[in-house]
Amino acid sequence: MCGIVGYIGKQEAYPIIVKGLKRLEYRGYDSAGVALMNGTLNVYKKKGKVADLEHYTDGANLSGKMGIGHTRWATHGEPNDVNAHPHRSGNGRLTIIHNGIIENYAPIKAALQKEGHVFVSDTDTEVLVHLIEEIQSKDDLALEEAVRVALSKVVGAYAIVVMDAQEPNKMVAARKASPLVVGIGDGEYFLASDATPIVEHTKQVVYLNDEEIAVISLDKGLKIRTISNEEISSPTIHELELKIEQLEKGGYDYFMLKEIYEQSGTIADCMRGRLNAEEGWIKLGGIDEYKNRITKAERILIVACGTSWHSGLIGEYLIEDLARIPVEVEYASEFRYRNPVINENDIVIAISQSGETADTLAALEMAKSRGALIYGIVNVVGSSIARITHAGSYIHAGPEIGVASTKAFTGQVALLTMMALAIAKEKGTISESYFQQLLNEFEQIPAKVNEVLKCDPQVKYISKEIKDSPNALYLGRGYSFPVALEGALKLKEISYIHAEGYPAAEMKHGPIALIDENMPVVVIATNKSAYEKIVSNVQEVKARKGIVIAVVTEGDKVISDIADYTIEIPDTEEPLTPLLSVIPLQLLSYHIAVMRECNVDQPRNLAKSVTVE
Ligand code: F6R
């Protein structure tokens, strides 16, 4: 959470920083601020979005060829002007931006207060800048040395950038468990939480590693040392593949809608070079090296959060159904704190769009330390999770900017489907003919996604009918159960309607008590197996006068007759249905949120990349 931008070079820093902050606003939008070096340090910060900051700085002195900026998702201290970053040291000499949490801020603060430091905000970040000041002034250290010593006393996660008014040509940045990227331009340098603010200026980037400190100045360039003071003599320079168009709305009202519509292409990108139905093969590069270990695994653990956890559940159904390996799906946040049994025979799959989710990262580190093989299914190239895994596969969905995950979900499910099929083929757990049938159908999925998207006007119409309901239930069985969970999450996170996903048969053990003529019940009824059972579940809802919105397979007559509204999706093999059936649910939540005048791309209290535990 929180977005960081820094610039040093020959251009004016402010416009570059503000544009970069807008690109990072998906990471948090409680407050924004900038600090500009121009002989003296000028700091401007404001509660609200980056646009509020721009308004606030109208007419101010914004010149300076070096500066830092921050967009905040509040952890310590409410979102207000004072708690906004950048924070300044007591002597006014230093200024800092920070993403992460300083866990031991309280004892450090108490010790600093004893030394006479006075704090103005409620943030953990302010403690860090005072600590750097204290160390710097006591021993008259250079900025980078004071930062290094201060960080060795800190427990927690951070990506920071610090400037010192007495060293006006230098920026010092560091990271631990929070991402930070350095962009290398022609006589200029950029810093950011991810590459999106950097790509329009340069394609050359260095991803800082944990516990590395970057010192950037125009005369000496980029120098990197570790917190334990070892020099990193030749950091690896990566070439960005990101394109600017991927970061624009491209005519859509919201990124979320654009991303929903991109799914035919993103699923095809995920499959490209990995699957060929005509020649009858599936090949996942990431698996190859560990093929033996994976196919012989006695169990697979999947760790993830939120939407990625839902795709993990579909992964469980797929891998157990097709490859016959027992799978357990864990909330990453619970996994590491419940002393799970993990050993060197286990395969742990981490699923993460951002590749930066703190809980998932921490769960992986624990599993890795216990000898498990760690496999990553990640979207953001070069992200922390992608870099700590033994092996993995990118889903190639491109930047997902809407806070509600859509195309990353279908990318993850597509990847898990290929994985299950690849293992099944290797183990011989499904027949050759079924394998071929699934490949043939899989190749049709991108075209079928385009077919599904044609339901958009109808979904918009249905949205109008239910947009004022305070609650909604989502029901599904088998492969459609995790889809129900995902549909409910999409609705609640962007439209603030309370929604629950349930296995359809579980409804009669409790939630059925909620059903009356005011309760919309979305039923994902695309199953071929247990079809009659889901018909019964729909009858049970109707008998209690619930409003049924059913997602069915085209040509379905039975449920269409009972439900109030039906949305048809093309027929496909059952293990592939989640890739299609989730799309009407994404559209439903989108239209309802728009009708309720919610900010679809930046829902309240949320941030795209949850880099705090
Ligand atoms: C919901 C959503 C979140 C994320 C979760 C995990 O739409 O986006 O629930 O899925 O925060 O994030 P990643 O996948 O980046 O680890």
Side-chain angles (χ1 to χ4, degrees):
M1 355 269 296
C2 301
I4 283 181
V5 183
Y7 174 78
I8 178 168
K10 39 196 187 243
Q11 304 184 59
E12 283 300 313
Y14 180 80
I16 294 172
I17 292 169
V18 163
K19 195 164 184 202
L21 289 180
K22 286 186 177 162
R23 295 247 190 258
L24 291 181
E25 219 168 12
Y26 71 89
R27 299 177 67 88
Y29 29 85
D30 292 338
S31 61
V34 288
L36 300 162
M37 184 75 79
N38 185 16
T40 54
L41 262 176
N42 293 320
V43 176
Y44 306 96
K45 47 194 201 169
K46 198 75 200 140
K47 179 180 172 184
K49 304 227 158 111
V50 178
D52 298 304
L53 174 71
E54 281 185 292
H55 194 61
Y56 175 66
T57 53
D58 213 12
N61 173 10
L62 298 173
S63 57
K65 305 228 158 45
M66 174 166 100
I68 55 181
H70 188 269
T71 177
R72 179 169 186 245
W73 185 86
T75 56
H76 292 63
E78 64 172 276
N80 61 26
D81 294 353
V82 176
N83 289 333
H85 299 214
H87 289 283
R88 297 186 84 144
S89 55
N91 59 10
R93 187 177 147 179
L94 307 177
T95 184
I96 190 170
I97 48 175
H98 168 220
N99 170 31
I101 290 185
I102 307 301
E103 288 170 12
N104 60 339
Y105 79 97
I108 296 177
K109 185 172 182 176
L112 289 168
Q113 278 169 327
K114 274 198 195 140
E115 298 292 326
H117 288 258
V118 177
F119 293 87
V120 294
S121 78
D122 304 319
T123 64
D124 50 337
T125 306
E126 194 190 1
V127 174
L128 184 54
V129 74
H130 278 260
L131 178 62
I132 299 169
E133 174 194 356
E134 176 69 19
I135 291 165
Q136 187 184 43
S137 53
K138 245 194 188 134
D139 296 327
D140 195 22
L141 296 177
L143 178 62
E144 60 271 33
E145 188 54 13
V147 168
R148 193 183 71 76
V149 176
L151 291 179
S152 67
K153 297 179 189 301
V154 152
V155 177
Y158 51 78
I160 57 166
V161 190
V162 192
M163 297 193 302
D164 179 349
Q166 291 189 16
E167 300 192 62
N169 299 313
K170 183 197 281 178
M171 280 163 64
V172 176
R175 77 154 267 177
K176 184 179 175 195
S178 283
L180 202 51
V181 186
V182 184
I184 304 170
D186 181 11
E188 55 185 356
Y189 293 87
F190 306 83
L191 277 158
S193 302
D194 68 35
T196 57
I198 296 177
V199 66
E200 61 201 272
H201 306 288
T202 175
K203 296 262 182 193
Q204 312 271 302
V205 296
V206 171
Y207 295 99
L208 281 194
N209 292 310
D210 271 353
E211 309 209 341
E212 285 182 353
I213 300 175
V215 184
I216 306 174
S217 62
L218 289 185
D219 50 342
K220 295 199 178 128
L222 168 68
K223 302 275 171 223
I224 301 180
R225 304 192 81 79
T226 64
I227 289 181
S228 46
N229 214 8
E230 282 157 36
E231 192 188 339
I232 308 289
S233 48
S234 41
T236 313
I237 298 177
H238 296 262
E239 180 84 12
L240 290 176
E241 283 176 16
L242 205 61
K243 296 193 183 72
I244 300 280
E245 311 82 80
Q246 294 177 295
L247 306 175
E248 311 282 354
K249 283 194 203 135
Y252 289 89
D253 288 342
Y254 287 97
F255 279 109
M256 182 183 178
L257 189 62
K258 176 184 175 222
E259 289 157 7
I260 292 173
Y261 270 85
E262 279 174 349
Q263 289 176 105
S264 163
T266 50
I267 294 173
D269 287 345
C270 184
M271 291 156 62
R272 185 157 301 119
R274 290 169 166 165
L275 178 155
N276 187 321
E278 205 184 325
E279 294 170 15
W281 54 258
I282 271 197
K283 189 171 155 51
L284 274 182
I287 289 190
D288 272 2
E289 197 184 335
Y290 295 94
K291 207 189 257 165
N292 246 345
R293 197 160 158 192
I294 293 174
T295 47
K296 292 207 172 79
E298 281 169 18
R299 69 165 184 167
I300 292 178
L301 295 160
I302 297 181
V303 292
C305 303
T307 286
S308 299
W309 185 79
H310 295 154
S311 69
L313 282 182
I314 297 174
E316 176 184 20
Y317 284 56
L318 285 162
I319 295 170
E320 293 203 345
D321 186 13
L322 304 175
R324 309 305 295 151
I325 300 176
V327 179
E328 289 166 34
V329 188
E330 302 268 358
Y331 285 114
S333 54
E334 285 298 312
F335 182 65
R336 68 184 286 236
Y337 288 113
R338 65 167 184 79
N339 195 16
V341 179
I342 315 167
N343 59 46
E344 49 294 336
N345 297 324
D346 288 327
I347 312 293
V348 176
I349 301 178
I351 307 177
S352 176
Q353 186 287 128
S354 61
E356 300 294 347
T357 300
D359 285 318
T360 311
L361 198 52
L364 281 193
E365 274 161 358
M366 187 188 70
K368 197 174 180 185
S369 72
R370 296 193 190 176
L373 175 76
I374 311 293
Y375 194 90
I377 296 180
V378 173
N379 189 32
V380 177
V381 176
S383 55
S384 302
I385 291 177
R387 288 187 297 143
I388 73 155
T389 50
H390 295 111
S393 304
Y394 286 116
I395 60 170
H396 299 307
E400 189 180 65
I401 295 169
V403 163
S405 186
T406 52
K407 63 176 180 172
F409 175 78
T410 46
Q412 291 161 351
V413 174
L415 204 292
L416 286 158
T417 312
M418 287 188 277
M419 191 170 194
L421 279 167
I423 304 173
K425 168 89 172 157
E426 188 68 24
K427 291 185 68 174
T429 44
I430 56 174
S431 68
E432 279 297 326
S433 61
Y434 187 42
F435 177 76
Q436 187 60 48
Q437 208 173 315
L438 285 169
L439 287 200
N440 294 344
E441 262 306 310
F442 207 160
E443 271 198 348
Q444 301 306 313
I445 288 292
K448 289 189 178 182
V449 166
N450 281 334
E451 284 301 304
V452 180
L453 286 166
K454 291 184 184 155
C455 73
D456 194 6
Q458 187 201 0
V459 174
K460 190 170 177 184
Y461 172 79
I462 299 169
S463 306
K464 225 183 289 169
E465 305 289 303
I466 58 170
K467 71 174 177 30
D468 296 319
S469 302
N471 297 294
L473 270 181
Y474 284 69
L475 306 177
R477 300 183 78 113
Y479 282 106
S480 299
F481 162 54
V483 178
L485 293 178
E486 176 57 9
L489 176 61
K490 289 287 89 88
L491 187 68
K492 58 191 151 193
E493 70 181 328
I494 61 167
S495 71
Y496 319 138
I497 293 176
H498 171 239
E500 297 293 338
Y502 263 94
E506 188 64 18
M507 179 185 60
K508 51 188 164 305
H509 300 287
I512 199 163
L514 293 167
I515 296 176
D516 61 15
E517 64 278 13
N518 299 315
M519 176 66 90
V521 183
V522 181
V523 186
I524 301 95
T526 51
N527 312 54
K528 289 189 180 125
S529 56
Y531 178 75
E532 289 73 22
K533 305 267 183 230
I534 196 111
V535 172
S536 307
N537 298 138
V538 174
Q539 299 276 21
E540 287 155 12
V541 175
K542 270 327 296 173
R544 283 145 190 98
K545 301 194 168 51
I547 309 158
V548 174
I549 300 128
V551 179
V552 297
T553 310
E554 65 191 348
D556 183 302
K557 290 279 173 287
V558 182
I559 292 180
S560 317
D561 278 354
I562 320 168
D564 297 84
Y565 307 97
T566 44
I567 302 161
E568 292 196 344
I569 62 164
D571 190 17
T572 189
E573 289 293 332
E574 196 154 340
L576 302 171
T577 51
L579 290 166
L580 302 179
S581 59
V582 75
I583 291 169
L585 308 189
Q586 295 169 342
L587 287 168
L588 190 69
S589 63
Y590 170 78
H591 287 299
I592 291 175
V594 171
M595 286 168 194
R596 290 166 67 95
E597 297 182 1
C598 300
N599 186 336
V600 171
D601 284 338
Q602 296 178 343
R604 71 184 179 207
N605 305 337
L606 286 172
K608 184 80 184 153
S609 179
V610 185
T611 54
V612 293
E613 285 183 52

